[in-house]
Amino acid sequence: MTVLIVGGSGLLGAELVLQASAAGHCVAATFATRPCDGPEATWHQVDLRDGGRVEEVVASLAPCVVINASSGSANWAVTAEGSVRLAMTAAKYDCRLVHVSSDAVFSGTRVHYDESCLPDPVTPYGAAKAAAETGIRLLTPDAVIARTSLIIGGIQSEHVRLVHDLATGCRTGALFTDDVRCPVHVGDLAAALLELAFTDACGIHHLTGGDAVSRHRLGVLIAQRDGLDASRLPEGLRAGTSLSGALDVRLDSRATQAKLRTRVRGVHEFL
């Protein structure tokens, strides 16, 4: 059985490639600019804005599962339209779809969000992710849409890289004490996504750790793990700045966790 990882060269995508290969699946992966090193997958260059190329790859591989771990940031054509285009193609070729979404679909007005909460995004990225969710639910009701939060791994994780740069003086800035999320370890997230892919689960699922921490507290934990001087991490308040986006968003993942064998750890356990 072939598993296709869309966005396989990213942090989460690369972990999915490794875990799917280790589980004995035939793995194919897509990349935008360059593939990852290693023999774990066959690599295909795909731009989600190119519907013809998307269909060409899916038709040729005939994967049983497609996992969309692509980012696309606030690029509407990739994150919203591209994800919907991929869902249309998956439906056409009868592929199981798992789509990775984000806590950015929420404004933070109510802080705590379970799977029943409706999106109310306040950023272009959140709006694109919310639009993708809507299109996917209409086109492929049997798909899994998995919302997650800050993904933590090694130095290749943008959050870890920021902490290293701030602690060593390579970058200026601050880690906010009032910007709160529920981080997840990339290995746990990948394992949970693969488990969901091979069940009959469908609809919205939340996949984060159970610990809510500020970005500054997260930075301190990363620094302590990696042997950095946490006292060198500058802190500040995001409230009152010109930065857009929610301050405090905590995804409640208990309902999804109850369905899984994979245990998604809280940040105080994996850092």
Side-chain angles (χ1 to χ4, degrees):
M1 294 188 295
T2 297
V3 175
L4 174 61
I5 311 299
V6 177
S9 57
L11 174 67
L12 175 58
E15 181 67 23
L16 283 164
V17 167
L18 288 173
Q19 290 197 23
S21 177
H25 299 295
C26 177
V27 182
T30 76
F31 65 96
T33 54
R34 65 179 185 85
C36 290
D37 296 327
E40 295 86 3
T42 59
W43 290 91
H44 306 266
Q45 188 166 21
V46 172
D47 185 331
L48 288 179
R49 295 170 295 184
D50 183 345
R53 177 60 177 160
V54 170
E55 180 160 354
E56 177 187 358
V57 169
V58 173
S60 66
L61 294 171
C64 62
V65 171
V66 176
I67 302 179
N68 184 9
S70 62
S71 174
S73 301
N75 187 322
W76 185 271
V78 176
T79 302
E81 295 174 359
S83 295
V84 170
R85 188 174 293 112
L86 179 64
M88 292 173 62
T89 307
K92 179 177 180 178
Y93 291 95
D94 197 25
C95 307
R96 167 84 162 147
L97 177 65
V98 177
H99 175 79
V100 181
S101 191
S102 167
D103 58 10
V105 301
F106 296 120
S107 68
T109 302
R110 59 182 296 164
V111 178
H112 298 277
Y113 294 88
D114 64 21
E115 287 88 344
S116 69
C117 295
L118 296 177
D120 60 340
V122 292
T123 64
Y125 174 66
K129 280 293 192 181
E133 287 188 7
T134 300
I136 290 165
R137 294 185 75 179
L138 288 171
L139 290 165
T140 52
D142 293 336
V144 168
I145 297 171
R147 296 182 183 134
T148 192
S149 190
L150 303 182
I151 304 174
I152 306 302
I155 193 64
Q156 70 274 31
S157 164
E158 64 175 295
H159 311 292
V160 174
R161 199 161 53 244
L162 173 61
V163 170
H164 278 244
D165 288 348
L166 289 172
T168 56
C170 295
R171 196 188 311 192
T172 60
L175 296 173
F176 298 123
T177 57
D178 59 346
D179 190 334
V180 178
R181 298 293 187 273
C182 295
V184 63
H185 190 276
V186 65
D188 295 348
L189 178 57
L193 291 169
L194 285 167
E195 183 178 342
L196 285 170
F198 290 96
T199 69
D200 59 0
C202 63
I204 302 291
H205 291 73
H206 286 181
L207 286 174
T208 63
D211 299 331
V213 295
S214 71
R215 291 190 187 249
H216 183 265
R217 176 59 181 161
L218 175 61
V220 169
L221 292 171
I222 291 170
Q224 292 172 343
R225 179 196 70 177
D226 294 351
L228 302 170
D229 184 357
S231 68
R232 296 194 62 186
L233 294 176
E235 60 183 84
L237 292 173
R238 184 173 161 191
T241 70
S242 60
L243 296 173
S244 62
L247 279 179
D248 194 340
V249 176
R250 310 181 190 197
L251 296 187
D252 184 343
S253 300
R254 290 176 294 180
T256 297
Q257 181 65 84
K259 303 176 184 178
L260 297 175
R261 297 185 308 274
T262 301
R263 193 165 68 86
V264 182
R265 297 166 293 168
V267 68
H268 288 110
E269 185 173 353
F270 68 74
L271 284 180

